Amino acid sequence: MAVTLKLLRDQVIVVTGATSGNGLAIVEAAVQRGAAVVATARNDAALEALRARLSADGGRIAVCVADVSDMAAVKRVAAVALTAFGGFDSWVNNAATGTYGTLDQVPVADHRQVFDVNYFGVLHGSLVAARHLRERGGAIVNIGSILSDRAIVEQGPYGATKHAVQALTDTLRMELEQEGAGISVTLIKPGAIDTPFPEHARNFMDQPPRLPPPLYTPSVVADAVLFACETPRRTLYAGGGGRLASLLSRSAPRVSDRIMELVGTFAQQKPGDPGDPARRDNLYDPRADALRGTQHVHARTSSSVLQVQKLHPAVVMLGVVGAGIVVALGRPKGGRR
Protein backbone atom coordinates (compact mmCIF):
# COMPACT_ATOMS: atom_id res chain seq x y z
CA MET A 1 0.00 0.00 0.00
CA ALA A 2 1.37 3.41 -0.98
CA VAL A 3 1.92 6.00 1.73
CA THR A 4 -0.90 8.53 1.57
CA LEU A 5 -1.23 10.97 4.46
CA LYS A 6 -4.30 13.05 5.23
CA LEU A 7 -4.39 16.79 5.70
CA LEU A 8 -4.01 17.77 9.34
CA ARG A 9 -7.58 18.98 9.62
CA ASP A 10 -8.75 15.46 8.72
CA GLN A 11 -6.43 13.65 11.13
CA VAL A 12 -6.54 12.24 14.63
CA ILE A 13 -3.08 12.53 16.20
CA VAL A 14 -1.81 10.77 19.32
CA VAL A 15 0.88 12.69 21.22
CA THR A 16 2.83 11.26 24.16
CA GLY A 17 4.50 13.53 26.72
CA ALA A 18 1.73 15.97 25.85
CA THR A 19 1.69 18.27 28.89
CA SER A 20 5.13 19.83 28.66
CA GLY A 21 7.62 21.34 26.25
CA ASN A 22 7.60 19.96 22.72
CA GLY A 23 4.62 17.69 23.35
CA LEU A 24 2.49 20.57 24.58
CA ALA A 25 3.50 22.69 21.59
CA ILE A 26 2.58 19.84 19.22
CA VAL A 27 -0.85 19.38 20.82
CA GLU A 28 -1.67 23.08 20.77
CA ALA A 29 -0.53 23.56 17.18
CA ALA A 30 -2.35 20.43 15.96
CA VAL A 31 -5.65 21.49 17.56
CA GLN A 32 -5.24 25.02 16.23
CA ARG A 33 -4.87 23.59 12.71
CA GLY A 34 -8.04 21.53 13.04
CA ALA A 35 -6.76 18.09 13.97
CA ALA A 36 -8.29 15.98 16.71
CA VAL A 37 -5.75 15.02 19.35
CA VAL A 38 -5.38 12.26 21.92
CA ALA A 39 -2.99 13.68 24.52
CA THR A 40 -1.24 11.38 26.97
CA ALA A 41 1.20 11.94 29.83
CA ARG A 42 1.74 10.92 33.45
CA ASN A 43 0.45 14.23 34.82
CA ASP A 44 -3.30 13.76 35.39
CA ALA A 45 -3.98 17.33 36.56
CA ALA A 46 -2.07 18.87 33.66
CA LEU A 47 -3.90 16.67 31.15
CA GLU A 48 -7.29 17.67 32.50
CA ALA A 49 -6.34 21.34 32.46
CA LEU A 50 -5.15 20.99 28.87
CA ARG A 51 -8.36 19.22 27.82
CA ALA A 52 -10.55 21.85 29.48
CA ARG A 53 -8.63 24.77 27.97
CA LEU A 54 -8.54 23.49 24.39
CA SER A 55 -12.05 22.04 24.30
CA ALA A 56 -13.44 25.33 25.64
CA ASP A 57 -12.13 26.96 22.46
CA GLY A 58 -13.75 24.31 20.27
CA GLY A 59 -10.76 22.00 20.01
CA ARG A 60 -11.25 18.27 19.61
CA ILE A 61 -9.19 16.58 22.30
CA ALA A 62 -9.29 13.44 24.42
CA VAL A 63 -6.81 12.63 27.17
CA CYS A 64 -5.40 9.47 28.73
CA VAL A 65 -3.12 9.23 31.75
CA ALA A 66 -0.36 6.77 30.88
CA ASP A 67 3.29 5.99 31.52
CA VAL A 68 4.81 5.05 28.16
CA SER A 69 7.25 2.64 29.82
CA ASP A 70 4.20 0.41 30.49
CA MET A 71 3.01 -1.40 27.35
CA ALA A 72 -0.45 -2.01 28.81
CA ALA A 73 -0.83 1.73 29.42
CA VAL A 74 0.18 2.53 25.84
CA LYS A 75 -2.41 0.06 24.52
CA ARG A 76 -4.96 1.91 26.66
CA VAL A 77 -4.10 5.14 24.85
CA ALA A 78 -4.94 3.50 21.51
CA ALA A 79 -8.23 2.28 22.99
CA VAL A 80 -9.11 5.84 24.04
CA ALA A 81 -8.43 7.02 20.47
CA LEU A 82 -10.75 4.33 19.11
CA THR A 83 -13.51 5.23 21.56
CA ALA A 84 -13.22 9.00 21.17
CA PHE A 85 -12.51 9.35 17.46
CA GLY A 86 -12.72 5.93 15.83
CA GLY A 87 -8.96 5.50 15.66
CA PHE A 88 -5.95 7.63 14.77
CA ASP A 89 -3.92 8.63 11.71
CA SER A 90 -0.60 9.74 13.22
CA TRP A 91 1.22 8.73 16.40
CA VAL A 92 3.92 11.00 17.85
CA ASN A 93 6.35 9.39 20.30
CA ASN A 94 7.57 12.42 22.21
CA ALA A 95 7.72 11.47 25.92
CA ALA A 96 11.24 11.60 27.37
CA THR A 97 13.17 12.15 30.55
CA GLY A 98 16.84 12.62 31.39
CA THR A 99 19.71 13.14 33.79
CA TYR A 100 22.73 15.40 34.10
CA GLY A 101 25.98 13.93 35.38
CA THR A 102 28.77 11.57 34.40
CA LEU A 103 28.09 7.92 33.65
CA ASP A 104 29.62 7.02 37.01
CA GLN A 105 27.60 9.59 38.95
CA VAL A 106 24.23 8.45 37.61
CA PRO A 107 23.02 5.30 39.44
CA VAL A 108 22.41 2.28 37.23
CA ALA A 109 18.73 2.33 38.26
CA ASP A 110 18.43 5.85 36.83
CA HIS A 111 20.14 4.76 33.59
CA ARG A 112 17.47 2.06 33.29
CA GLN A 113 14.64 4.48 33.98
CA VAL A 114 15.82 6.81 31.22
CA PHE A 115 15.87 3.83 28.84
CA ASP A 116 12.46 2.63 30.04
CA VAL A 117 10.89 5.97 29.11
CA ASN A 118 12.97 7.17 26.16
CA TYR A 119 13.62 3.90 24.33
CA PHE A 120 10.98 1.43 25.49
CA GLY A 121 8.36 4.17 25.45
CA VAL A 122 9.09 4.77 21.77
CA LEU A 123 9.15 1.02 21.13
CA HIS A 124 5.78 0.53 22.83
CA GLY A 125 4.22 3.44 20.98
CA SER A 126 5.66 2.37 17.63
CA LEU A 127 4.41 -1.20 17.95
CA VAL A 128 0.92 -0.16 19.04
CA ALA A 129 0.72 2.49 16.34
CA ALA A 130 1.95 0.16 13.58
CA ARG A 131 -0.62 -2.51 14.47
CA HIS A 132 -3.41 0.03 14.12
CA LEU A 133 -2.09 1.88 11.07
CA ARG A 134 -1.51 -1.26 9.01
CA GLU A 135 -5.26 -1.24 8.42
CA ARG A 136 -5.51 2.38 7.28
CA GLY A 137 -2.06 3.87 6.64
CA GLY A 138 -0.68 6.92 8.42
CA ALA A 139 2.42 8.30 10.09
CA ILE A 140 4.63 7.40 13.03
CA VAL A 141 6.79 10.32 14.15
CA ASN A 142 9.53 9.65 16.69
CA ILE A 143 11.33 12.45 18.53
CA GLY A 144 15.04 11.75 18.59
CA SER A 145 17.63 14.44 19.22
CA ILE A 146 20.74 15.95 17.79
CA LEU A 147 22.29 13.64 20.40
CA SER A 148 21.17 10.80 18.12
CA ASP A 149 24.21 11.92 16.07
CA ARG A 150 26.53 13.51 18.60
CA ALA A 151 27.17 12.34 22.16
CA ILE A 152 27.79 14.98 24.81
CA VAL A 153 29.30 14.85 28.27
CA GLU A 154 26.93 15.04 31.28
CA GLN A 155 24.02 13.52 29.29
CA GLY A 156 25.32 10.01 28.58
CA PRO A 157 22.12 8.04 29.38
CA TYR A 158 19.90 10.45 27.44
CA GLY A 159 22.26 10.45 24.44
CA ALA A 160 22.45 6.66 24.49
CA THR A 161 18.67 6.39 24.34
CA LYS A 162 18.50 8.79 21.41
CA HIS A 163 21.09 6.74 19.50
CA ALA A 164 18.90 3.71 20.23
CA VAL A 165 15.77 5.53 19.08
CA GLN A 166 17.45 6.29 15.75
CA ALA A 167 18.28 2.60 15.22
CA LEU A 168 14.76 1.60 16.28
CA THR A 169 13.19 4.11 13.90
CA ASP A 170 15.33 3.01 10.96
CA THR A 171 14.53 -0.65 11.62
CA LEU A 172 10.81 0.05 11.95
CA ARG A 173 10.81 1.97 8.66
CA MET A 174 12.52 -0.87 6.79
CA GLU A 175 10.22 -3.52 8.22
CA LEU A 176 7.10 -1.56 7.34
CA GLU A 177 8.41 -0.85 3.84
CA GLN A 178 9.08 -4.57 3.38
CA GLU A 179 5.45 -5.23 4.23
CA GLY A 180 4.16 -2.45 2.00
CA ALA A 181 2.28 -1.21 5.05
CA GLY A 182 1.66 2.34 3.80
CA ILE A 183 3.04 3.90 6.99
CA SER A 184 5.41 6.87 6.94
CA VAL A 185 8.12 6.75 9.63
CA THR A 186 9.96 9.98 10.47
CA LEU A 187 12.68 10.78 13.00
CA ILE A 188 12.75 14.38 14.25
CA LYS A 189 16.11 15.57 15.56
CA PRO A 190 15.70 18.73 17.62
CA GLY A 191 18.65 20.80 18.71
CA ALA A 192 18.50 22.55 22.07
CA ILE A 193 14.87 23.55 22.70
CA ASP A 194 13.71 25.91 25.46
CA THR A 195 11.53 23.43 27.39
CA PRO A 196 11.49 22.56 31.12
CA PHE A 197 13.91 19.69 30.39
CA PRO A 198 16.79 21.13 32.49
CA GLU A 199 14.40 21.56 35.42
CA HIS A 200 12.79 18.14 34.93
CA ALA A 201 16.05 16.20 34.54
CA ARG A 202 17.62 14.62 37.61
CA ASN A 203 20.82 16.56 38.25
CA PHE A 204 24.06 15.15 39.68
CA MET A 205 26.25 18.13 38.74
CA ASP A 206 27.30 20.71 41.33
CA GLN A 207 25.55 23.51 39.42
CA PRO A 208 22.03 23.90 37.96
CA PRO A 209 21.77 22.44 34.45
CA ARG A 210 20.84 24.19 31.26
CA LEU A 211 20.69 23.41 27.55
CA PRO A 212 23.63 24.74 25.50
CA PRO A 213 22.87 27.55 23.05
CA PRO A 214 21.62 28.23 20.45
CA LEU A 215 18.11 27.46 21.70
CA TYR A 216 14.85 27.30 19.77
CA THR A 217 11.26 27.52 20.96
CA PRO A 218 9.12 24.35 21.09
CA SER A 219 7.06 25.71 18.18
CA VAL A 220 9.97 24.80 15.89
CA VAL A 221 9.66 21.13 16.87
CA ALA A 222 5.88 21.28 16.53
CA ASP A 223 6.30 22.67 13.01
CA ALA A 224 8.57 19.75 12.07
CA VAL A 225 6.30 17.13 13.63
CA LEU A 226 3.07 18.36 12.02
CA PHE A 227 4.80 18.61 8.66
CA ALA A 228 5.85 14.95 9.04
CA CYS A 229 2.26 13.98 9.88
CA GLU A 230 1.22 15.27 6.44
CA THR A 231 4.37 14.69 4.37
CA PRO A 232 6.56 11.56 4.32
CA ARG A 233 10.12 12.39 5.32
CA ARG A 234 12.89 10.18 6.67
CA THR A 235 14.54 12.71 8.99
CA LEU A 236 13.99 16.35 9.91
CA TYR A 237 16.41 18.50 11.91
CA ALA A 238 14.67 21.10 14.06
CA GLY A 239 17.22 23.86 14.57
CA GLY A 240 20.30 24.87 12.62
CA GLY A 241 22.61 24.76 15.64
CA GLY A 242 21.99 21.06 16.09
CA ARG A 243 22.46 20.36 12.38
CA LEU A 244 25.82 22.13 12.47
CA ALA A 245 26.95 20.06 15.46
CA SER A 246 25.94 16.90 13.61
CA LEU A 247 27.89 17.85 10.49
CA LEU A 248 30.96 18.74 12.55
CA SER A 249 30.79 15.41 14.38
CA ARG A 250 30.64 13.47 11.11
CA SER A 251 33.37 15.41 9.32
CA ALA A 252 35.78 15.85 12.26
CA PRO A 253 34.80 13.47 15.10
CA ARG A 254 37.99 13.92 17.14
CA VAL A 255 37.78 17.71 16.89
CA SER A 256 34.15 17.49 17.96
CA ASP A 257 35.11 15.26 20.89
CA ARG A 258 37.73 17.75 22.04
CA ILE A 259 35.26 20.64 21.86
CA MET A 260 32.80 18.67 23.98
CA GLU A 261 35.51 17.76 26.48
CA LEU A 262 36.65 21.36 26.81
CA VAL A 263 33.33 23.22 27.01
CA GLY A 264 30.59 20.57 27.28
CA THR A 265 30.18 20.74 31.05
CA PHE A 266 30.41 24.53 31.25
CA ALA A 267 27.91 24.95 28.40
CA GLN A 268 25.37 22.84 30.29
CA GLN A 269 25.53 24.68 33.61
CA LYS A 270 23.75 27.85 34.68
CA PRO A 271 25.01 28.87 38.12
CA GLY A 272 22.48 30.83 40.14
CA ASP A 273 19.54 30.03 37.84
CA PRO A 274 18.02 26.64 38.79
CA GLY A 275 14.61 27.39 37.32
CA ASP A 276 11.33 26.54 39.05
CA PRO A 277 11.79 24.21 42.08
CA ALA A 278 8.26 22.84 41.55
CA ARG A 279 9.46 21.29 38.29
CA ARG A 280 12.63 19.71 39.62
CA ASP A 281 13.32 16.03 38.86
CA ASN A 282 10.48 14.19 37.14
CA LEU A 283 12.53 11.06 36.46
CA TYR A 284 10.14 8.76 38.31
CA ASP A 285 7.13 10.95 39.08
CA PRO A 286 5.45 13.84 37.26
CA ARG A 287 6.25 17.35 38.35
CA ALA A 288 4.90 20.75 37.36
CA ASP A 289 4.73 21.01 33.55
CA ALA A 290 4.87 23.95 31.17
CA LEU A 291 5.57 24.88 27.57
CA ARG A 292 8.95 26.51 28.19
CA GLY A 293 11.58 26.65 30.89
CA THR A 294 11.81 29.41 33.47
CA GLN A 295 15.56 29.98 33.18
CA HIS A 296 16.64 33.27 31.62
CA VAL A 297 17.60 32.23 28.09
CA HIS A 298 17.13 33.46 24.55
CA ALA A 299 15.35 31.15 22.12
CA ARG A 300 14.87 31.52 18.38
CA THR A 301 11.31 31.21 17.10
CA SER A 302 12.12 29.79 13.67
CA SER A 303 14.65 27.59 11.89
CA SER A 304 15.75 28.27 8.31
CA VAL A 305 17.34 24.81 8.20
CA LEU A 306 13.97 23.22 8.92
CA GLN A 307 12.21 25.28 6.27
CA VAL A 308 14.72 24.16 3.62
CA GLN A 309 14.15 20.52 4.60
CA LYS A 310 10.42 20.98 4.10
CA LEU A 311 10.94 21.84 0.43
CA HIS A 312 10.33 19.07 -2.09
CA PRO A 313 13.64 17.24 -2.77
CA ALA A 314 13.35 18.09 -6.48
CA VAL A 315 13.20 21.80 -5.63
CA VAL A 316 16.32 21.52 -3.46
CA MET A 317 18.15 19.66 -6.24
CA LEU A 318 17.18 22.30 -8.79
CA GLY A 319 18.46 24.97 -6.42
CA VAL A 320 21.80 23.18 -6.02
CA VAL A 321 22.16 22.70 -9.78
CA GLY A 322 21.18 26.31 -10.40
CA ALA A 323 23.73 27.57 -7.91
CA GLY A 324 26.39 25.42 -9.57
CA ILE A 325 25.55 26.84 -12.98
CA VAL A 326 25.74 30.40 -11.67
CA VAL A 327 29.16 29.74 -10.13
CA ALA A 328 30.40 28.07 -13.32
CA LEU A 329 29.21 30.93 -15.55
CA GLY A 330 30.74 33.47 -13.24
CA ARG A 331 34.26 32.09 -13.60
CA PRO A 332 36.52 34.17 -15.86
CA LYS A 333 37.57 32.46 -19.11
CA GLY A 334 41.20 32.07 -20.07
CA GLY A 335 42.60 32.62 -16.60
CA ARG A 336 43.71 35.86 -14.99
CA ARG A 337 44.74 38.90 -16.96
Side-chain angles (χ1 to χ4, degrees):
M1 182 167 59
V3 174
T4 304
L5 304 180
K6 298 177 182 178
L7 297 175
L8 277 179
R9 65 173 179 265
D10 299 322
Q11 287 202 33
V12 178
I13 303 174
V14 175
V15 182
T16 72
T19 56
S20 188
N22 296 328
L24 181 55
I26 295 163
V27 171
E28 291 180 339
V31 169
Q32 185 177 28
R33 292 179 60 178
V37 173
V38 179
T40 181
R42 296 178 299 174
N43 192 330
D44 189 2
L47 278 175
E48 284 302 320
L50 177 63
R51 183 196 60 76
R53 176 167 59 85
L54 295 182
S55 61
D57 292 332
R60 295 179 294 155
I61 180 170
V63 299
C64 180
V65 180
D67 185 335
V68 295
S69 66
D70 179 357
M71 181 57 136
V74 175
K75 290 179 179 178
R76 194 166 62 246
V77 175
V80 167
L82 282 166
T83 300
F85 301 115
F88 57 86
D89 304 288
S90 295
W91 184 293
V92 182
N93 287 305
N94 166 75
T97 189
T99 61
Y100 283 91
T102 65
L103 295 175
D104 189 50
Q105 285 177 316
V106 179
V108 171
D110 292 352
H111 281 260
R112 292 186 185 278
Q113 175 67 3
V114 175
F115 260 89
D116 281 345
V117 175
N118 296 10
Y119 173 77
F120 285 100
V122 173
L123 175 63
H124 296 158
S126 296
L127 293 176
V128 169
R131 288 166 189 161
H132 176 78
L133 295 174
R134 281 185 178 96
E135 303 296 326
R136 59 196 286 168
I140 297 173
V141 183
N142 293 339
I143 308 299
S145 169
I146 186 56
L147 300 188
S148 298
D149 296 345
R150 166 71 258 176
I152 189 171
V153 296
E154 310 294 354
Q155 287 196 62
Y158 181 86
T161 64
K162 294 304 182 177
H163 273 71
V165 164
Q166 176 164 287
L168 166 63
T169 304
D170 289 345
T171 304
L172 176 68
R173 183 185 302 109
M174 290 186 290
E175 291 179 354
L176 292 175
E177 286 177 349
Q178 278 184 323
E179 296 176 24
I183 302 173
S184 172
V185 179
T186 302
L187 182 65
I188 308 295
K189 294 183 178 180
I193 308 296
D194 180 26
T195 72
F197 179 86
E199 297 158 286
H200 279 164
R202 178 163 287 191
N203 183 29
F204 294 92
M205 301 188 299
D206 59 1
Q207 296 290 342
R210 68 167 175 175
L211 291 167
L215 271 69
Y216 298 81
T217 60
S219 61
V220 173
V221 177
D223 185 14
V225 167
L226 296 184
F227 176 79
C229 289
E230 286 187 309
T231 313
R233 284 290 191 275
R234 180 186 181 89
T235 305
L236 290 170
Y237 287 86
R243 183 59 173 146
L244 181 62
S246 174
L247 292 172
L248 176 61
S249 179
R250 292 178 182 179
S251 60
R254 285 301 299 147
V255 172
S256 187
D257 284 350
R258 289 297 295 158
I259 292 172
M260 294 296 175
E261 292 163 10
L262 289 170
V263 304
T265 298
F266 168 78
Q268 295 182 87
Q269 293 182 340
K270 207 166 194 319
D273 191 0
D276 184 353
R279 301 179 186 177
R280 195 167 299 149
D281 188 0
N282 75 348
L283 185 59
Y284 291 95
D285 298 295
R287 302 285 287 164
D289 287 327
L291 180 65
R292 297 177 64 175
T294 56
Q295 291 180 322
H296 300 289
V297 298
H298 171 72
R300 303 178 184 185
T301 58
S302 62
S303 166
S304 299
V305 166
L306 173 60
Q307 300 312 312
V308 169
Q309 293 170 89
K310 290 167 64 176
L311 297 173
H312 193 283
V315 174
V316 177
M317 182 58 68
L318 284 173
V320 172
V321 172
I325 292 173
V326 170
V327 171
L329 293 176
R331 289 176 180 171
K333 297 181 180 179
R336 295 182 180 179
R337 297 189 178 186

